[in-house]
Amino acid sequence: MSAVCNHARVQVVLLGPVAVASDDAVPVDVPGARLRMLLARLALEAGRPVQAESLIDDLWGEDSPAGAAAALQ
């Protein structure tokens, strides 16, 4: 797995509606409730790794679908 990081900063607002803005204050649209939930969960652990199993539990709960790991990726 590889990742690209250009060291851009983003601001994630979690109180009220989830909102994201780039470092130049341009709002970033995050479509879909589950994607916003994932972003919020990762923002709460900024700078720390989060296990996929933990994310799956947080996003789907006990009734996670069989393809949850693939959907997460």
Side-chain angles (χ1 to χ4, degrees), residues 55-72:
L55 293 174
I56 290 169
D57 287 345
D58 291 343
L59 295 175
W60 285 280
E62 293 180 13
D63 298 327
S64 63
L72 182 61

Side-chain angles (χ1 to χ4, degrees), residues 13-34:
V13 178
L14 301 178
L15 296 175
V18 173
V20 180
S22 64
D23 57 352
D24 55 358
V26 175
V28 177
D29 182 41
V30 181
R34 196 164 323 269

